[in-house]
Amino acid sequence: MNDFNDWISRKRTATDIVSARLVREFRTTLDKTLCSYPLLPGIHWCLSPDMLTSADLGRDGHPRTGLLLPDLGLPRRMWAAGRLSYLGNLAEGDQVERVTVIRDVSYKTGRTGKLGFVTIDHNYSVAGEVRIEEEQNIVYRENPDPGTAPPAHEPAEAWKPIRTIEITPDPTMLFRYSAITFNGHRIHYDHPYATGTEGYRGLVVHGPMQSTWLQHMATEILGRLPHDFQYRGVAPLICGRPAAIEARPVGDLLELRVRDLEANTATMLAWAR
């Protein structure tokens, strides 16, 4: 493997404003999944998106690897997991500075083949005060073998949730979320690419949007922003399939998940306190 030490500790800083229009777009897109409090968990993912011209994009519509993220020699990449610490709220009118640092690059082998991982830290500050600390985990994968069915996933454990919201993501919802986050990944809007090149069963619902659903449910139940919120994508959620956003208490934690109702499989798991 190549030595990626020169990528470790690379730092970028960006600033953006939580505008009134962005807040309206965020609320309109998330709609019934929002908490009832005047809080906006997840809106930080709409700030300071990476903006590169078409010449600097990869085949998937994301910025080409080797520019902002290392090229690990694996063509597919996705947002796999992360952790958030809310030290304060982001509100309309805030000017937010985001400091991004690449913390680690590694490889491993999974059931679908070789995997590459990049771990990134983000700090979001307002007037020098850190409001959100974030760890983001990105996974790189090999191309699927032609004609190979997507891997099967274990049935979801039976829960007795204390709160449930049912939702069926549609293409308009995916388009709107891609627009407010400036996310050009083609798996969210280009059906032939998503199915023919990346091997999914259809358009894929954004991992960050699913995480935002769960953050809002956690906020609703806790009555505040979660001090610690961890999430992990475990299976693709395909556009047009009905899903449930669920939560249950487990000890001193709140456990949450997004569940594909037709397949009865979890697509994202999360824990909050």
Side-chain angles (χ1 to χ4, degrees):
M1 294 298 175
N2 294 327
D3 185 354
F4 293 99
N5 286 337
D6 59 334
W7 281 90
I8 306 300
S9 299
R10 285 199 187 187
K11 180 178 177 180
R12 293 185 288 125
T13 301
T15 59
D16 206 344
I17 295 175
V18 184
S19 69
R21 173 173 172 167
L22 175 59
V23 171
R24 290 197 302 272
E25 291 172 344
F26 183 81
R27 291 192 177 282
T28 300
T29 301
L30 277 296
D31 195 17
K32 70 176 184 178
T33 66
L34 294 168
C35 66
S36 62
Y37 299 97
L39 299 168
L40 300 168
I43 201 169
H44 62 284
W45 286 328
C46 304
L47 300 174
S48 301
D50 296 322
M51 295 187 182
L52 281 74
T53 64
S54 297
D56 287 329
L57 300 181
R59 71 168 196 183
D60 58 5
H62 269 328
R64 179 165 44 85
T65 54
L67 298 177
L68 303 177
L69 293 173
D71 183 351
L72 304 189
L74 299 168
R76 302 167 65 205
R77 52 188 156 153
M78 61 184 296
W79 202 323
R83 182 171 188 165
L84 294 159
S85 296
Y86 279 101
L87 309 177
N89 185 38
L90 296 183
E92 183 178 319
D94 282 344
Q95 180 166 313
V96 182
E97 180 183 75
R98 185 188 68 201
V99 177
T100 297
V101 179
I102 296 178
R103 177 153 54 89
D104 188 47
V105 180
S106 62
Y107 285 94
K108 66 187 298 186
T109 301
R111 61 176 179 168
T112 58
K114 188 187 304 178
L115 302 172
F117 293 90
V118 177
T119 302
I120 305 171
D121 291 333
H122 305 282
N123 277 355
Y124 297 81
S125 301
V126 177
E129 176 189 347
V130 177
R131 300 285 178 86
I132 304 171
E133 296 176 342
E134 177 183 10
E135 175 187 296
Q136 177 189 5
N137 305 117
I138 299 172
V139 62
Y140 295 60
R141 300 177 182 273
E142 297 176 306
N143 281 322
D145 292 331
T148 301
H153 299 279
E154 294 292 327
E157 176 188 350
W159 277 21
K160 292 183 178 179
I162 59 173
R163 185 172 177 83
T164 300
I165 297 173
E166 293 191 5
I167 187 169
T168 302
D170 60 26
T172 301
M173 187 179 198
L174 269 62
F175 166 81
R176 286 179 163 187
Y177 191 77
S178 288
I180 63 173
T181 56
F182 204 71
N183 183 344
H185 202 316
R186 294 168 63 188
I187 62 172
H188 306 306
Y189 60 86
D190 185 337
H191 192 277
Y193 174 83
T195 56
T197 301
E198 299 251 3
Y200 294 107
R201 292 188 171 95
L203 297 179
V204 179
V205 180
H206 309 68
M209 182 159 63
Q210 293 183 64
S211 177
T212 300
W213 297 343
L214 298 175
Q215 290 173 55
H216 277 264
M217 180 167 283
T219 299
E220 182 68 29
I221 295 170
L222 296 171
R224 56 167 172 77
L225 293 168
H227 301 315
D228 183 35
F229 182 89
Q230 300 179 57
Y231 63 94
R232 178 168 56 91
V234 291
L237 177 60
I238 301 303
C239 181
R241 295 178 68 91
I245 308 164
E246 302 173 321
R248 67 174 181 176
V250 178
D252 64 345
L253 288 175
L254 189 63
E255 187 173 6
L256 307 104
R257 70 183 179 186
V258 178
R259 180 167 60 93
D260 180 322
L261 291 175
E262 291 183 3
N264 188 33
T265 55
T267 61
M268 179 165 285
L269 301 174
W271 299 265
R273 67 171 83 231

